[in-house]
Amino acid sequence: RDMKIIKILGTGCPSCIRTEKIVTEVVNELGIDAKILKVTDIVDIMMYDVMSTPAIVVDEKVMFKGKVPSKNEATALLVDNFANNACCSDENIDDSCCDTDEKDSGCC
């Protein structure tokens, strides 16, 4: 399986740097096999049709934009994208299903 690519779009502002830190932290904590790339060129950023940074792009899809995600938001977003079965979607973000040890149950 291919390694996922997570891109942090931002021109290097403090918010963009914080976003990258949070995403890196979550990726490391969850043990996600992903490469994190910083996209700082405004022309490249505009190709994603993003007008407000920071933004998070997973596999070329913009998943989050316009503000720094909280650690919980970043975790939910990445679990959604890296789980086989997205049981922690926005609708049931408080669902404890991903906090259990049932990682082998196919839930997460």
Side-chain angles (χ1 to χ4, degrees):
R1 94 193 155 77
D2 295 335
M3 179 185 273
K4 294 267 193 178
I5 304 287
I6 301 171
K7 294 181 179 175
I8 309 296
L9 311 185
T11 51
C13 64
S15 295
C16 304
I17 293 165
R18 269 209 327 277
T19 299
E20 184 194 7
K21 238 183 218 142
I22 290 168
V23 169
T24 302
E25 211 172 288
V26 170
V27 164
N28 291 338
E29 281 177 17
L30 296 177
I32 291 172
D33 186 20
K35 187 179 174 102
I36 299 171
L37 303 174
K38 277 169 64 174
V39 179
T40 55
D41 187 288
I42 194 75
V43 176
D44 292 340
I45 292 170
M46 286 168 71
M47 282 170 39
Y48 289 97
D49 205 21
V50 168
M51 294 301 152
S52 55
T53 57
I56 301 171
V57 176
V58 179
D59 288 343
E60 295 306 304
K61 280 185 13 218
V62 177
M63 299 310 228
F64 195 92
K65 64 183 178 184
K67 67 186 180 100
V68 177
S70 70
K71 196 162 173 190
N72 284 347
E73 285 172 320
T75 301
L77 176 108
L78 295 175
V79 165
D80 255 5
N81 279 285
F82 293 93
N84 300 332
N85 179 352
C87 66
C88 296
S89 61
D90 294 340
E91 295 83 34
N92 55 4
I93 204 157
D94 296 319
D95 194 337
S96 62
C97 114
C98 286
D99 298 331
T100 65
D101 292 331
E102 296 175 14
K103 297 227 183 300
D104 301 329
S105 69
C107 167
C108 295

